[in-house]
Amino acid sequence: MKLGAFSISLSVKDLEKSRDFYEKLGFSQMGGNLESNYLIMKNGSTLIGLFQAMFDGNMLTFNPGWDENAQNLDSFDDVREIQKHLKENNVTLEKEAGETTPGPEHIFLKDPDGNMILIDQHR
């Protein structure tokens, strides 16, 4: 199963302070903006999403169809195919994707310890 680009999505209290902190660790902004309350930070192939007042808690994020530079991949597993595989393997989904619509869609699930996982397809 190809899950696409991986990042961790952090729920932050102060977006500017978080940006400044991660810049000191060598990250630079590659997406988002302060006005939209989120930034995507990159250091090499490592991605961190900083989100203020958008969701509770932190989560693992996968983006089918994208590489770590947010560039489209020629070949990828659609989120609906991933969802079908997970359901066939008795994985409980917190939020399911529409099975008949093409294009952007997402699913949520939790690992056995309650950690949230977002599989978010943008195309």
Side-chain angles (χ1 to χ4, degrees), residues 72-100:
N72 290 340
L73 297 171
D74 292 332
S75 175
F76 69 97
D77 291 343
D78 187 272
V79 68
R80 291 152 199 85
E81 294 171 32
I82 295 168
Q83 174 175 283
K84 181 180 177 186
H85 172 83
L86 295 172
K87 289 172 75 172
E88 287 171 352
N89 284 279
N90 299 314
V91 175
T92 301
L93 301 177
E94 300 290 315
K95 189 267 181 200
E96 294 187 19
E99 295 180 359
T100 60

Side-chain angles (χ1 to χ4, degrees), residues 2-103:
K2 297 177 187 174
L3 295 176
F6 170 76
S7 62
I8 185 145
S9 298
L10 301 177
S11 178
V12 302
K13 295 176 185 171
D14 186 316
L15 191 55
E16 290 185 66
K17 282 184 180 179
S18 294
R19 177 199 59 202
D20 294 346
F21 174 82
Y22 283 100
E23 285 177 343
K24 291 174 185 172
L25 291 178
F27 285 82
S28 58
Q29 181 179 336
M30 75 166 278
N33 58 61
L34 294 172
E35 294 76 30
S36 296
N37 290 330
Y38 81 95
L39 300 171
I40 307 301
M41 307 294 289
K42 184 173 184 191
N43 180 330
S45 61
T46 303
L47 299 171
I48 297 175
L50 305 174
F51 297 87
Q52 183 175 318
M54 295 182 85
F55 53 83
D56 292 328
N58 302 322
M59 68 182 105
L60 305 177
T61 302
F62 297 92
N63 299 112
W66 276 5
D67 67 13
E68 70 273 4
N69 296 306
Q71 298 299 305
N72 290 340
L73 297 171
D74 292 332
S75 175
F76 69 97
D77 291 343
D78 187 272
V79 68
R80 291 152 199 85
E81 294 171 32
I82 295 168
Q83 174 175 283
K84 181 180 177 186
H85 172 83
L86 295 172
K87 289 172 75 172
E88 287 171 352
N89 284 279
N90 299 314
V91 175
T92 301
L93 301 177
E94 300 290 315
K95 189 267 181 200
E96 294 187 19
E99 295 180 359
T100 60
T101 58

